[in-house]
Amino acid sequence: MDNSIYDMARELAYAVLSTDEGKKVAETRYIFDNNEEARQKMLDYNTYREAVNMRVQEGSISQEEMKAEGTKLSQMIAELKANSIINDMVQAEGEFNAVINRVMNIFQATITGECEDENGGCTGSCGTCGGCH
């Protein structure tokens, strides 16, 4: 197979990374990666959540314990959201993922020949769609 299609895919990826959203997510990840407190809070939360999930999967947790663990996890999430470094990174990742999803929706609509409007769905009227013409 001709490598040019892979080169174009790489160019598209670089173009997505160079969007405002791509730059913002890279910036916030860099800040997060260089902040020990934020990284530790996220690690503690993920470790605790995984341990709770494991207990749930094993069936070794009572309803009362599950409720208490849910409360603890909610508190930990509130602490994560209160950390501006983590909050900024999560928000930036959400915005970047929206760009990725939009690109993938366009890609899928183009491959399948479906119309796709600016909001990511077909309007039902091909007259309003730039993708079918």
Side-chain angles (χ1 to χ4, degrees), residues 14 21 34 57 86 94 100 111 115-116 123 126:
Y14 286 131
E21 294 86 355
N34 289 288
Q57 288 177 359
I86 295 171
I100 296 289
I111 287 174
C115 292
E116 188 249 348
T123 63
C126 287

Side-chain angles (χ1 to χ4, degrees), residues 6-129:
Y6 301 114
D7 293 337
M8 288 187 287
R10 190 168 289 104
E11 286 178 39
L12 176 59
Y14 286 131
V16 170
L17 289 171
S18 69
T19 63
D20 289 342
E21 294 86 355
K23 292 174 186 174
K24 182 71 174 179
V25 80
E27 175 188 327
T28 59
R29 283 180 185 164
Y30 178 81
I31 292 168
F32 172 81
D33 288 343
N34 289 288
N35 186 283
E36 181 64 32
E37 179 187 352
R39 286 192 350 253
Q40 189 61 51
K41 281 183 183 274
M42 187 67 82
L43 177 63
D44 291 347
Y45 168 74
N46 285 329
T47 302
Y48 194 82
R49 182 180 48 83
E50 288 173 14
V52 171
N53 284 340
M54 183 66 72
R55 289 178 61 202
V56 169
Q57 288 177 359
E58 293 170 349
S60 64
I61 188 170
S62 70
Q63 289 294 333
E64 293 165 358
E65 290 171 321
M66 193 176 314
K67 186 175 179 178
E69 296 294 12
T71 300
K72 170 76 173 169
L73 287 168
S74 293
Q75 290 170 343
M76 292 175 85
I77 290 170
E79 290 176 20
L80 292 176
K81 289 180 179 180
N83 183 298
S84 63
I85 292 171
I86 295 171
N87 195 47
D88 290 350
M89 183 183 68
V90 169
Q91 182 177 349
E93 287 177 344
E95 292 168 2
F96 183 67
N97 286 338
V99 171
I100 296 289
N101 289 335
R102 176 76 176 120
V103 169
M104 294 307 294
N105 286 341
I106 293 168
F107 188 77
Q108 184 66 33
T110 302
I111 287 174
T112 61
E114 295 176 9
C115 292
E116 188 249 348
D117 71 5
E118 288 297 313
N119 296 317
C122 186
T123 63
S125 169
C126 287
T128 62
C129 177

